Amino acid sequence: MLDACAEIVDEVGYEGLTTTLLAERAGVAIGSVYQFFPDKRAIVQALTLRNMEAYLERLGDRFSRGDLTYWWDGVDAAIDEYITMHRRVPGFRTLHFGDVVDVHLLDEDRDNNGVIAEQLARVLVEQFGTADAPRLRFALEIAVEAADALIKLAFRRDPEGDEKVLTEATALIREYLHRHVDAAPSAG
């Protein structure tokens, strides 16, 4: 059902998604949809959570290869994976991490990009020995918001992502974080 949901939101957007359309596309009875999801928001929330898990798994795979030496390599990898998901994961370009539905879709107390920033902070601390401080989390929240806006702009300009905008977005985020993120001397 989640795959069908992703296809539908790519075709008609969140507003065009209905539980009836989902049931038809998934080849299930409408009652089966309601057995798992009370409404379309819940379906999209499940798809968004799946996308976040996939994103974090993709990042984990990149980090486990051992070819990322410094924290900024991790930031570049995070941006690259986000762009790749826009290009290849059905429904992601439309839903991102659920902000089109509700900025608190992933967590009722924090906005979606705040959740992503928190996850990135955890990874940077664990993988690269980045200093774990409120300043890191704040800088990452700013960086995630800026990257999200610029990547959306790139995909509005070109269905595959305007490379000039994507290059500038990566440079902007990297330079911003270089000014605000402390790493342990033995990072890497």
Side-chain angles (χ1 to χ4, degrees):
M1 283 189 266
L2 295 181
D3 291 339
C5 177
E7 291 172 9
I8 293 166
V9 296
D10 271 349
E11 293 168 16
V12 299
Y14 175 71
E15 293 304 320
L17 174 67
T18 65
T19 53
T20 302
L21 187 57
L22 176 66
E24 289 171 6
R25 178 70 58 92
V28 298
I30 191 72
S32 296
V33 172
Y34 287 116
Q35 179 181 358
F36 297 101
F37 306 106
D39 53 29
K40 77 177 189 177
R41 183 183 188 283
I43 298 163
V44 170
Q45 185 175 33
L47 179 58
T48 299
L49 289 171
R50 182 176 82 170
N51 285 343
M52 185 175 75
E53 289 168 4
Y55 176 72
L56 294 173
E57 184 177 311
R58 292 168 72 108
L59 272 183
D61 290 347
R62 290 277 300 268
F63 291 169
S64 69
R65 290 185 215 154
D67 58 351
L68 304 176
T69 307
Y70 304 103
W71 66 262
W72 55 82
D73 296 327
V75 169
D76 288 349
I79 294 169
D80 290 346
E81 289 303 329
Y82 191 70
I83 292 166
T84 298
M85 288 185 73
H86 268 77
R87 289 179 174 148
R88 297 191 184 136
V89 175
F92 191 78
R93 187 180 308 181
T94 304
L95 297 174
H96 307 99
F97 288 118
D99 54 318
V100 292
V101 178
D102 181 350
V103 295
H104 294 277
L105 190 65
L106 296 173
D107 183 311
E108 65 184 45
D109 297 324
R110 296 179 298 163
D111 68 39
N112 300 333
N113 281 343
V115 172
I116 299 303
E118 181 71 26
Q119 293 295 326
L120 289 174
R122 183 183 52 77
V123 169
L124 291 177
V125 168
E126 290 173 4
Q127 295 287 321
F128 301 103
T130 307
D132 189 9
R135 186 168 107 181
L136 170 67
R137 287 166 185 1
F138 178 76
L140 284 171
E141 281 189 54
I142 298 297
V144 167
E145 287 291 336
D148 186 42
L150 290 169
I151 291 168
K152 285 175 183 174
L153 170 65
F155 281 90
R156 282 193 314 267
R157 293 178 82 168
D158 180 330
E160 283 301 307
D162 183 314
E163 284 301 327
K164 290 179 188 174
V165 175
L166 294 173
T167 298
E168 289 301 311
T170 301
L172 183 141
I173 299 309
R174 193 181 218 209
E175 288 303 314
Y176 171 77
L177 288 174
H178 266 290
R179 292 185 327 197
H180 296 283
V181 176
D182 294 325
S186 61

